[in-house]
């Protein structure tokens, strides 16, 4: 009996071992199959560029198939511009209404970067079998996948726009300010006021732009909030004296240059500089964009006058520079123009050029100072107020001294759209000038010191002559252009004679506004200066 039981147990163990072995074989084969399938699937998926969105994928209403993330984002934003002009009417509870557009409100897609990344990853990340099926459909152009988006406007973009939409209808808060009342310094008290509640109003707009938005504008209820101004009379308690003032004439003729000067003055007006704080004229005025109140006008680029955004702002910084000198604040950065300007004497100017050239100064007093910008009768004035601790008998004079001049030889010839034969002076030659600025201090009318505070070098500019090139015969125009490229006056005159059959070019005279040889005009005054009011701006 015992032997039989042992034999049965051995047979059972052998049978179980065989079963386990078969299971292992089956499992191994299954694993091999799975690995092979996974290898095949992943190999197939890797054929597709992981940076490129597959066929049949849209973000909202925008087809982004075949694009990388950057291009897809650009396309979505480009198609969003179609909605930019959709009108949004804003209404207040008391019936006042305003209007703006989605574009002005900063219309965009919520979480656009994340949505774009989902589109890029679609069919290439996640379950391999699902990805395989998606990619197969995409290859057969049977894939249709839309990543739904939510549209929104941002508080940052909408802030100013919402208040501007109601234009003069809101009683906006007014900062306390400092001004002159005759010869007395006067602080005008602040006024609290109403502004659009940006947070609540944007929330209402975004609710309107929900998932069922039909792509059209609409009417939104705007919310108001009441607020105190940023600057109060208490903040200006130390503004008891006029520290320094300076005026230059710019014309106020409605030109782009005038607009830029007026906009620049408005950006600086009301600035408060705390003790030890440094002020940057460039940072106060930038960016030089239409949205920020600027336009194109003439400005200096090396020894040429060119059109650029914000042309004319250098007169703003120059006027401020001289007010700072009379206030005896610490100038930390100042640069002259490349060429002379007409609204101040040499070495009294201060150029601005994006982030390259700037006027910067520090409040070296123990109390704050306040800058007032005044525009009146074509003049720009900066008044700087604070607590004056200087001796009452102390007065200043700033004297410009030209230490060297060198008039350039030759002429510069430029092609114009005038007909061939026209030949006239656009601007006179301007000398290379070396100059320095003296600070002269008087006490009770007696000179006590005289020091050089800056040295300036101005590059020369040749006489600029306009030469007409227009002709019904293109070959003649080309010949004239080639002659101008030579910058040889005799060659240019010979070509004019050859093409017109005459011995003389048509002298149409100098263009308006040509500079004189030193480029200097009166018309600027500081606290201790005088003016005859005849100065003219030179366009830079």
């Amino acid at each position: 009996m015992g032997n039989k039981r042992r034999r049965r147990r051995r047979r059972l163990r052998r049978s179980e071992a065989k079963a386990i072995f078969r299971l292992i074989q089956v499992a191994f084969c299954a694993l091999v199959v799975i690995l092979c399938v996974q290898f095949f699937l992943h190999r197939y998926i890797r054929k597709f560029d992981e940076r490129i969105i597959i066929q049949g994928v849209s973000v909202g209403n925008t087809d982004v198939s075949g694009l990388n993330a950057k291009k897809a984002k650009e396309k979505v934003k480009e198609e969003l511009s179609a909605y930019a002009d959709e009108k949004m009417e804003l209404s207040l509870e008391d019936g006042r209404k305003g209007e703006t557009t989605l574009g002005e409100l900063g219309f965009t897609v919520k979480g656009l970067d994340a949505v774009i990344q989902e589109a890029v990853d679609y069919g290439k990340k996640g379950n391999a079998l699902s990805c395989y099926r998606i990619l197969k459909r995409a290859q057969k152009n049977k894939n249709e996948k839309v990543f739904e988006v939510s549209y929104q406007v941002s508080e940052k973009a909408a802030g100013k726009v919402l208040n501007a939409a109601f234009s003069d209808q809101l009683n906006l808060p007014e900062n306390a300010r400092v001004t002159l009342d005759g010869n007395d310094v006067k602080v005008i008290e602040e006024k609290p006021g109403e502004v659009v509640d940006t947070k609540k109003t944007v929330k209402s707009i975004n609710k309107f732009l929900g998932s069922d938005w039909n792509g059209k504008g609409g009417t939104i209820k705007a919310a108001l909030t009441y607020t105190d101004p940023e600057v109060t009379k208490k903040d200006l308690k130390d503004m008891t004296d006029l520290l320094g003032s300076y005026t230059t004439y710019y014309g106020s003729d409605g030109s782009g240059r005038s607009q830029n000067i007026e906009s620049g003055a408005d950006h600086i007006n009301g600035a408060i500089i705390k003790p030890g704080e440094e002020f940057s004229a460039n940072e106060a005025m930038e960016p030089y964009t239409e949205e920020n109140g600027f336009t194109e006008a003439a400005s200096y680029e090396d020894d040429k006058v060119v059109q650029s955004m914000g042309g004319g702002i250098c007169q703003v910084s120059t006027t401020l520079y001289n007010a700072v000198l009379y206030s005896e604040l610490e100038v930390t950065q100042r640069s002259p123009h490349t060429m002379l300007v007409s609204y101040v004497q040499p070495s009294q100017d201060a150029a601005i050029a994006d982030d390259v050239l700037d006027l910067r100064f520090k409040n070296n007093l123990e109390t704050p100072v306040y800058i007032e910008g005044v525009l009146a009768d074509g003049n720009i004035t900066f008044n700087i107020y604070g607590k004056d601790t200087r001796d009452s008998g102390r007065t200043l004079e700033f004297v410009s001294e030209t230490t060297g001049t060198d008039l350039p030889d030759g002429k510069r010839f430029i092609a114009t759209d005038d007909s061939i034969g026209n030949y006239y002076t656009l601007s006179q030659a301007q000398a290379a000038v070396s100059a320095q600025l003296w600070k002269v201090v008087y006490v009770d009318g007696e000179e006590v010191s005289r020091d050089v505070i800056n040295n300036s070098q101005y590059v020369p500019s040749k006489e600029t002559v306009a030469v007409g090139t227009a002709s019904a015969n293109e070959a003649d125009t080309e010949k004239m252009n080639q002659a101008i490229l030579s910058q040889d006056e005799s060659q240019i005159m010979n070509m004019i004679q050859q093409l017109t059959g005459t011995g003389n070019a048509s002298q149409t005279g100098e263009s308006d506004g040509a500079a004189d040889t030193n480029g200097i005009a009166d018309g600027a005054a500081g606290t201790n200066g005088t003016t005859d009011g005849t100065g003219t701006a030179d366009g830079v």
Side-chain angles (χ1 to χ4, degrees), residues 242-455:
L242 176 65
L243 303 177
S245 179
Y246 202 79
T247 297
T248 61
Y249 180 76
Y250 70 96
S252 186
D253 57 3
S255 65
R257 185 175 188 279
S258 294
Q259 176 183 326
N260 292 335
I261 289 173
E262 292 163 6
S263 181
D266 287 341
H267 280 76
I268 292 173
N269 179 45
I272 298 175
I273 310 167
K274 297 176 183 177
E277 189 175 35
E278 187 178 51
F279 181 85
S280 161
N282 185 55
E283 289 174 7
M285 293 187 285
E286 67 179 359
Y288 304 109
T289 60
E290 290 183 4
E291 293 77 12
N292 204 33
F294 295 96
T295 189
E296 284 199 344
S299 63
Y300 282 155
E301 183 179 290
D302 298 325
D303 63 344
K304 300 183 289 295
V305 176
V306 299
Q307 292 291 311
S308 68
M309 286 298 293
I313 56 166
C314 290
Q315 186 163 352
V316 178
S317 56
T318 291
T319 309
L320 180 60
Y321 171 60
N322 285 274
V324 168
L325 291 180
Y326 280 107
S327 303
E328 295 190 88
L329 302 178
E330 181 187 348
V331 177
T332 55
Q333 183 178 342
R334 170 265 170 189
S335 301
H337 288 75
T338 51
M339 297 188 293
L340 293 169
V341 296
S342 65
Y343 40 84
V344 290
Q345 300 293 313
S347 273
Q348 285 187 293
D349 60 323
I352 293 276
D354 295 322
D355 296 324
V356 180
L357 303 179
D358 195 4
L359 169 66
R360 303 179 77 95
F361 57 92
K362 185 181 290 186
N363 178 6
N364 52 0
L365 305 178
E366 295 182 357
T367 52
V369 297
Y370 177 94
I371 303 175
E372 178 190 31
V374 181
L375 299 162
D377 302 321
N379 292 294
I380 174 174
T381 299
F382 280 113
N383 298 318
I384 300 180
Y385 303 95
K387 184 173 285 187
D388 202 343
T389 57
R390 295 172 291 187
D391 293 338
S392 58
R394 179 186 176 92
T395 57
L396 305 174
E397 182 183 12
F398 292 93
V399 179
S400 168
E401 179 189 6
T402 298
T403 56
T405 60
D406 184 16
L407 199 64
D409 295 326
K411 300 176 182 179
R412 176 196 289 125
F413 301 94
I414 64 169
T416 71
D417 291 333
D418 299 306
S419 57
I420 292 175
N422 282 284
Y423 180 99
Y424 55 91
T425 299
L426 278 176
S427 62
Q428 297 284 1
Q430 183 167 282
V433 171
S434 301
Q436 57 188 16
L437 190 64
W438 292 85
K439 177 181 179 180
V440 186
V441 180
Y442 302 89
V443 175
D444 297 327
E446 297 266 337
E447 182 178 323
V448 295
S449 66
R450 180 180 288 259
D451 299 294
V452 173
I453 61 169
N454 78 44
N455 290 279

Side-chain angles (χ1 to χ4, degrees), residues 24-239:
I24 292 172
Q25 282 183 315
V26 170
F28 178 76
C29 291
L31 178 61
V32 170
V33 169
I34 290 170
L35 290 175
C36 289
V37 170
Q38 288 292 320
F39 175 78
F40 169 78
L41 293 176
H42 284 290
R43 185 178 179 186
Y44 179 79
I45 292 168
R46 282 197 298 271
K47 290 180 180 179
F48 293 82
D49 191 329
E50 63 179 10
R51 299 166 300 175
I52 303 299
I53 299 170
I54 63 174
Q55 288 299 312
V57 176
S58 297
V59 171
N61 296 324
T62 304
D63 182 1
V64 292
S65 303
L67 304 177
N68 61 21
K70 182 180 178 182
K71 294 292 184 182
K73 186 175 180 179
E74 289 173 356
K75 188 174 181 183
V76 171
K77 285 190 170 183
E78 182 182 342
E79 297 200 2
L80 280 179
S81 64
Y83 303 114
D85 294 331
E86 289 295 328
K87 297 280 192 299
M88 295 298 296
E89 187 176 274
L90 307 168
S91 63
L92 299 174
E93 287 186 1
D94 59 8
R96 285 178 287 179
K97 293 185 182 298
E99 189 178 85
T100 184
T101 65
L102 286 175
E104 291 169 337
L105 291 167
F107 180 68
T108 188
V109 170
K110 184 177 181 180
L112 179 56
D113 287 334
V115 177
I116 294 291
Q117 191 58 52
E118 280 188 67
V120 171
D121 294 341
Y122 180 64
K124 285 163 281 184
K125 290 191 178 179
N127 182 275
L129 184 58
S130 296
C131 289
Y132 173 78
R133 289 170 177 166
I134 291 168
L135 295 173
K136 272 296 186 182
R137 288 199 302 270
Q139 274 194 319
K140 296 176 182 178
N141 291 321
K142 292 182 179 180
N143 182 54
E144 290 184 11
K145 175 64 177 178
V146 178
F147 286 90
E148 299 293 345
V149 295
S150 298
Y151 299 102
Q152 66 174 11
V153 301
S154 68
E155 288 185 31
K156 184 177 180 181
K160 290 183 180 179
V161 173
L162 290 173
N163 285 303
F166 289 96
S167 188
D168 299 328
Q169 300 180 66
L170 297 179
N171 299 310
L172 296 172
E174 295 180 18
N175 285 332
R177 57 189 177 86
V178 188
T179 191
L180 283 177
D181 184 7
N183 292 322
D184 298 325
V185 176
K186 185 177 181 181
V187 178
I188 309 298
E189 195 167 356
E190 73 276 7
K191 291 182 182 179
E194 55 185 8
V195 296
V196 175
D197 189 320
T198 302
K199 190 169 186 176
K200 287 184 179 179
T201 305
V202 166
K203 187 175 180 180
S204 296
I205 295 171
N206 287 339
K207 186 176 179 181
F208 170 79
L209 296 172
S211 58
D212 58 346
W213 180 56
N214 64 1
K216 302 295 182 183
T219 301
I220 300 294
K221 279 193 175 181
L224 282 182
T225 185
Y226 297 86
T227 182
D228 292 323
E230 294 178 359
V231 181
T232 67
K233 189 174 183 178
K234 184 180 178 180
D235 297 325
L236 305 179
K237 60 182 176 61
D238 293 319
M239 310 303 162

Side-chain angles (χ1 to χ4, degrees), residues 466-492:
V467 183
T469 62
S471 171
N473 188 325
E474 291 184 7
D476 287 352
T477 296
E478 178 60 24
K479 289 177 183 178
M480 197 69 251
N481 281 320
Q482 289 301 317
I484 295 169
L485 284 174
S486 73
Q487 291 294 298
D488 184 308
E489 185 172 19
S490 62
Q491 188 173 331
I492 292 169

